[in-house]
Amino acid sequence: MGSSVRELAAATPTARDRYVDLLRVASLGTVVFGHWLMAVVTGDEVGNLLAVVPGLQVLTWVLQVMPVFFFVGGFSHALSYRSLRRKQPDGSVYSVFLRARLQRLLRPTIVFILVWGTAALLVQLLGGDGGLTGVALRLVAQPLWFIGIYLAMVAFTPPLLKLHERYGWGAFGALVAGAVAVDVARFAGHVPFVEFLNFAFVWLAVHQLGFLRADGRIRMPAALAAAGLTGAAALVAFGPYPLSMVGMPGEKVSNMAPPTLALLCHGLWLVGAVELLRTPGARLVARPRIWRGVVAANGIAMTAFLWHLTAMLGVYGALLALDVTLPAPASAAWWAQVPLRIAAALVLTAVLVAAFRSFERPASAKPGSGSGGPVAALGITLCLFGVLGLSMVGFGGLLEGRTAMLVAVRVTAPAAVAMALAGWLLVERAGRGTRRVPAAS
């Protein structure tokens, strides 16, 4: 069973930045809550509350907190990679770093893919992939885009950290400049497919801010927040960018997919804001009871994130099966049901976490040399395209070979599943027989 939460909390080194752990949990929790709140189910369709009530889209400037998670990831990755580099100064640490960082990410993700892939195949063979079930087969895979982006961040940590150590804010500025150039080429030059480069430039720029925090170089968070907020507001007011910082159905331009310069400014504002709250946040998480809660939540966070849409759709499916009337979206009756639906989704998520949480525990590894960098690089590349492909095509249409466009390439669910599985096995193989170093945070 391993150490208890109380024992883990008590054993926390005094030098650990507990506020970072709080941000990690809070950001994922906010995303989960936002998905539960914004889902609008009517019969066999799932819509978005923000499309029903456009005035609520301004809430995404607070609730779209994925940039905070990626910022925290940059901080953690910098500490982890530097720790490995000190212990293996010969430089052969890439495969060790990948496996150490990805164990608690890829294993629960692969289990999620296998469970839903099997369920989707059985459902289709039985002819039950219509209605809300068919929607669910597509929708539950969408959060995998986050896994894919995070994989890219881990993969690019070593070279980007080297650039950070040489150029500091200059490396961050280069990524920002890349994001600006992409949007200019996209909106002014109408260059096809160039917008997809901002999946790298925008998110890696936010990730790079985590490196700067690790070195204590974010010294004026108020200025960072003000610049980001002002920039985002100006771009939305005078540019081609929508108000919502999450994707909206039917919109011609999304700030999320692919990311835009407006979303990057939004990320700067959020990073500045959470850094301004660092002192009170550190005081809060220093309380033993609060810290135990953060430790417990961190141990199941990825499992909960992967399965929270399954829980939400399960609640709606149960309501429809019981012939419970679903009120008109955004009506008074609909809002009155919100706390009950969220409570039910929370309970069902807890059940799913109890069933699958063991896969989030990192496994032990044998001592070794840390070789296998090319194999690990190939593995993470396959995983990246596999999970991103699944996030686009979903689990529906497995037998028909339904396709979706990933950048400029068409992918199918079977091909995406195969790439994800092959990539995971390669990462595991590359990391086995290596000296296991705990993933510092």
Side-chain angles (χ1 to χ4, degrees), residues 107-142:
R107 289 181 177 181
T109 300
I110 293 300
V111 169
F112 174 83
I113 290 172
L114 290 175
V115 170
W116 262 107
T118 302
L121 190 58
L122 290 175
V123 164
Q124 190 168 5
L125 288 172
L126 295 173
D129 56 341
L132 187 61
T133 302
V135 174
L137 293 177
R138 172 181 54 82
L139 195 62
V140 294
Q142 287 185 0

Side-chain angles (χ1 to χ4, degrees), residues 3-76:
S3 301
S4 69
V5 168
R6 187 177 294 273
E7 291 170 336
L8 289 172
T12 303
T14 56
R16 186 180 183 93
D17 192 333
R18 301 183 182 196
Y19 182 54
V20 166
D21 295 282
L22 176 63
L23 290 178
R24 183 184 295 112
V25 169
S27 57
L28 280 183
T30 301
V31 171
V32 168
F33 173 79
H35 286 167
W36 287 343
L37 177 63
M38 300 305 171
V40 172
V41 176
T42 54
D44 58 357
E45 295 182 358
V46 178
N48 192 319
L49 177 65
L50 300 178
V52 178
V53 188
L56 294 178
Q57 292 179 18
V58 70
L59 293 178
T60 62
W61 289 49
V62 176
L63 296 179
Q64 166 52 298
V65 293
M66 271 304 181
V68 175
F69 189 90
F70 293 145
F71 164 66
V72 167
F75 174 87
S76 301

Side-chain angles (χ1 to χ4, degrees), residues 24 69-82 84 93-106 109 145-162 199-200 203-208 211 302 373 376-381 383-384 387 427 439-440:
R24 183 184 295 112
F69 189 90
F70 293 145
F71 164 66
V72 167
F75 174 87
S76 301
H77 296 158
L79 296 188
S80 178
Y81 190 76
R82 284 169 171 170
L84 286 167
V93 300
Y94 189 68
S95 62
V96 185
F97 172 73
L98 287 188
R99 190 165 186 256
R101 297 308 301 177
L102 296 182
Q103 274 188 337
R104 291 183 59 183
L105 179 70
L106 281 183
T109 300
W145 75 266
F146 154 79
I147 306 294
I149 298 300
Y150 200 77
L151 287 171
M153 290 176 172
V154 175
F156 282 105
T157 287
L160 288 179
L161 185 59
K162 185 177 293 185
F199 275 112
W203 290 127
L204 289 176
V206 174
H207 187 250
Q208 202 82 2
F211 296 167
M302 193 51 57
L378 174 61
I380 200 169
T381 301
C383 278
L384 170 64
V387 296
V427 171

Side-chain angles (χ1 to χ4, degrees), residues 272-297:
V274 298
E275 283 296 281
L276 284 172
L277 296 172
R278 184 173 181 175
T279 299
R283 284 199 300 264
L284 175 67
V285 83
R287 299 176 184 176
R289 183 175 297 180
I290 299 295
W291 177 238
R292 286 196 295 271
V294 171
V295 170

